[in-house]
């Protein structure tokens, strides 16, 4: 069974179908709220999922954070702070996601709403070695 199947079953999410390519990005709006974000983060932190499933959960959490920030929330609000903290706590496994959301070399006007905070945290972690 696929990681998406298990995540869908465990969290009560639609599993997608044979045409679904990017499950985390294609979930309907009703699953892209603060309440759902809390569930994704809890599942990520709980453990028990494969590295690929945890990657999918972090991808989903970051995308929902970006939606919330785009809609006017601050990246300094909960649960966005906890998602970004979890992202950087496991930099080894999340390096590709950090690079994706940081969009290094791109002007901020052409980046995600979450990009400035990801860049700030990345620079902070680099200078402190944390």
């Amino acid at each position: 069974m696929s990681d998406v199947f298990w995540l869908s079953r465990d969290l009560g999410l639609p599993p997608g179908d044979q045409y679904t390519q990017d499950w985390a990005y294609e979930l309907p709006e009703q699953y892209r709220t603060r309440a759902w974000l809390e569930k994704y983060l809890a599942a990520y932190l709980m453990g028990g999922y494969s590295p690929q499933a945890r990657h999918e959960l972090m991808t989903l959490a970051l995308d929902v954070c970006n939606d919330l920030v785009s809609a006017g929330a601050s990246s300094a609000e909960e649960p966005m702070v906890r998602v970004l903290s979890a992202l950087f706590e496991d930099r080894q496994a999340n390096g590709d996601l950090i690079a994706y959301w940081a969009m290094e070399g791109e002007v901020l006007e052409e980046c995600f709403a979450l990009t400035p905070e990801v860049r700030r945290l990345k620079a902070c972690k680099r200078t402190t070695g944390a």
Side-chain angles (χ1 to χ4, degrees):
M1 294 283 168
S2 75
D3 293 314
V4 169
F5 170 83
W6 293 115
L7 291 172
S8 297
R9 187 200 67 167
D10 292 352
L11 298 174
L13 299 167
D17 58 26
Q18 70 270 21
Y19 301 108
T20 303
Q21 294 179 9
D22 294 313
W23 177 79
Y25 299 115
E26 295 178 16
L27 277 177
E29 289 300 312
Q30 70 193 66
Y31 301 103
R32 307 181 77 71
T33 64
R34 280 180 200 267
W36 279 100
L37 180 57
E38 292 280 359
K39 292 178 185 180
Y40 307 145
L41 181 59
Y44 179 86
L45 294 174
M46 175 185 68
Y49 287 109
S50 70
Q52 296 82 5
R54 292 184 83 230
H55 189 274
E56 196 72 29
L57 282 165
M58 183 54 74
T59 298
L60 177 55
L62 289 166
D63 198 49
V64 173
C65 284
N66 189 67
D67 288 350
L68 293 170
V69 171
S70 294
S74 168
S75 60
E77 294 175 21
E78 295 291 334
M80 278 75 80
V81 169
R82 291 193 341 269
V83 169
L84 291 169
S85 177
L87 173 72
F88 281 91
E89 282 175 16
D90 199 4
R91 280 190 304 267
Q92 193 98 1
N94 294 324
D96 63 327
L97 290 173
I98 293 168
Y100 177 79
W101 287 95
M103 297 185 75
E104 297 292 343
E106 299 293 330
V107 294
L108 281 177
E109 292 78 26
E110 297 176 11
C111 295
F112 301 111
L114 198 58
T115 295
E117 187 62 11
V118 173
R119 285 184 183 177
R120 185 188 72 75
L121 290 169
K122 185 177 178 185
C124 180
K125 301 295 183 189
R126 188 174 28 238
T127 59
T128 63

